[in-house]
Amino acid sequence: MTKRKNVVWNLTKLCPFGCTFCCVSATYVKGFKQVFSVNDDTPVIESELSFNKQLQVIDQLDAEKFRIDFSGGDVLINPRNIDLIILASEKFGAENIGLSIPGTFTTPNNLSKLTGRINDVEITMDTTPDINYSYRPLNYAEHASDAIARLVDAGFFVGVQTVLRRENMFKETIKRLHKHLLLLGVKKWSFLKFAPVGRGYSKCENHPSDEEYRKFSDVIKHVTLNSMIEVHYQYLMPLSPARDFYCRAIKDSIGIAPDGTVSSCFWAFNQNGKPFDDVVLGKVPEDNILDILKSEKAREWLSYGKTKNYCPLKKILRGGVI
């Protein structure tokens, strides 16, 4: 069976949080309020796709060749996004639908609609709720923790992503978070290397070195030894002992921005929350995504994955030529 290509689709930039290093530079919505479009041909904000345009994108994707991870912003801030997820689930199968959310709007009604429609839910949580973490808004971790409890109780497979920066790279911090996630019933715990993209573009004042990451990976391994939680490391995460990696752009994954821009690397956002020019492949639904993936630029990106330990995004962030 051919491996499915993962589509990381940021449906919206709208979010009730204003994290200082948000990779998509999310648009802050005050008051934890949901937003509603006037109709299915009108997007909730001008720069995003309408519901009917989103449906056209779904129609372009081969049901047997793609998997979709719906992300944001906060996907659940717009109720119509849940309808889109359900339609995608019917086409691709629930096992091929993922959801990444900050945890707000996980109401009983929304969870009931999503039950049986998605494979997994991922929530980012960098510390336990009792720790004041300057890179996240006040009560961010508390909202995430409460949402995880609701999701687990409703029967969802929940994974947590932890972005590692110097401020949370302490053994005691990870030990406390590990204990907390065990109590919540989290099934998978992923550790991510910080990428200075989006709102965090060029803000590297607290950016750990690869050597720091390698040393701390040993700490994580010690803390999670024999854990009931499956521990996962982002493929770019430097580990001890060192491991090799290959760029996954195009071969394994692509990104779709809220306005329909298709990118080779779903991490590569500038400070305005738009994909860097170097990663832009086209725009859906105006361009058919299957044609986009056959383009010369897409083939060029695919070739980067043949070089061991080469990350084109690093060169883009340094202002160099890929």
Side-chain angles (χ1 to χ4, degrees), residues 23 161 192 195 197-198 234-236 263 265-269 276 313:
C23 63
Q161 293 188 336
L192 279 62
V197 296
Q234 177 196 35
Y235 81 100
L236 292 175
S263 61
C265 176
F266 60 83
W267 287 108
F269 290 97
F276 287 103
L313 178 57

Side-chain angles (χ1 to χ4, degrees), residues 264 278-279 297 300-301 304 310-313 315-316 320-322:
S264 56
D278 286 327
V279 305
K297 192 170 183 180
E300 182 181 357
W301 268 91
Y304 300 147
Y310 177 65
C311 178
L313 178 57
K315 289 205 170 184
I316 293 173
V321 179
I322 300 176

Side-chain angles (χ1 to χ4, degrees), residues 92-289:
F92 301 97
E95 69 276 12
N96 295 306
I97 302 295
L99 180 62
S100 296
I101 53 176
T104 42
F105 311 113
T106 49
T107 62
N109 183 49
N110 284 342
L111 296 187
S112 176
K113 291 179 180 179
L114 291 169
T115 297
R117 301 291 189 172
I118 57 179
N119 183 68
D120 58 279
V121 183
E122 287 195 329
I123 292 181
T124 300
M125 195 171 174
D126 302 321
T127 65
T128 48
D130 57 307
I131 293 179
N132 181 22
Y133 188 57
S134 63
Y135 294 99
R136 297 288 186 187
L138 189 65
N139 297 328
Y140 175 91
E142 183 178 349
H143 279 285
S145 181
D146 291 344
I148 291 169
R150 288 191 291 270
L151 286 159
V152 171
D153 186 59
F156 290 87
F157 182 100
V158 180
V160 165
Q161 293 188 336
T162 295
V163 181
L164 293 173
R165 301 189 63 151
R166 288 197 180 113
E167 192 172 347
N168 65 342
M169 286 172 61
F170 297 99
K171 183 176 182 179
E172 186 59 32
T173 300
I174 296 301
K175 282 179 65 176
R176 290 167 66 177
L177 186 52
H178 178 241
K179 182 179 180 180
H180 188 72
L181 299 183
L182 279 171
L183 291 173
L184 287 174
V186 169
K187 301 296 185 183
K188 182 180 179 181
W189 192 9
S190 301
F191 290 94
L192 279 62
K193 178 181 180 179
F194 168 69
V197 296
R199 198 172 286 140
Y201 180 60
S202 297
K203 296 178 181 178
C204 300
E205 72 281 357
N206 206 30
H207 188 182
S209 66
D210 283 358
E211 183 58 29
E212 287 175 289
Y213 279 125
R214 278 190 283 269
K215 289 181 178 179
F216 197 68
S217 72
D218 284 335
V219 174
I220 295 170
K221 290 172 187 175
H222 178 75
V223 169
T224 60
L225 186 66
N226 299 320
S227 176
M228 295 180 66
I229 300 177
E230 176 192 350
V231 177
H232 174 79
Y233 298 93
Q234 177 196 35
Y235 81 100
L236 292 175
M237 174 76 178
L239 298 180
S240 178
R243 63 172 178 176
D244 296 326
F245 70 84
Y246 293 87
C247 177
R248 299 181 180 181
I250 307 296
K251 175 179 176 289
D252 295 319
S253 62
I254 58 172
I256 300 180
D259 66 353
T261 299
V262 178
S263 61
S264 56
C265 176
F266 60 83
W267 287 108
F269 290 97
N270 64 24
Q271 61 266 48
N272 297 315
K274 295 182 179 297
F276 287 103
D277 290 342
D278 286 327
V279 305
V280 173
L281 302 177
K283 192 172 183 179
V284 288
E286 295 94 321
D287 305 318
N288 188 288
I289 197 163

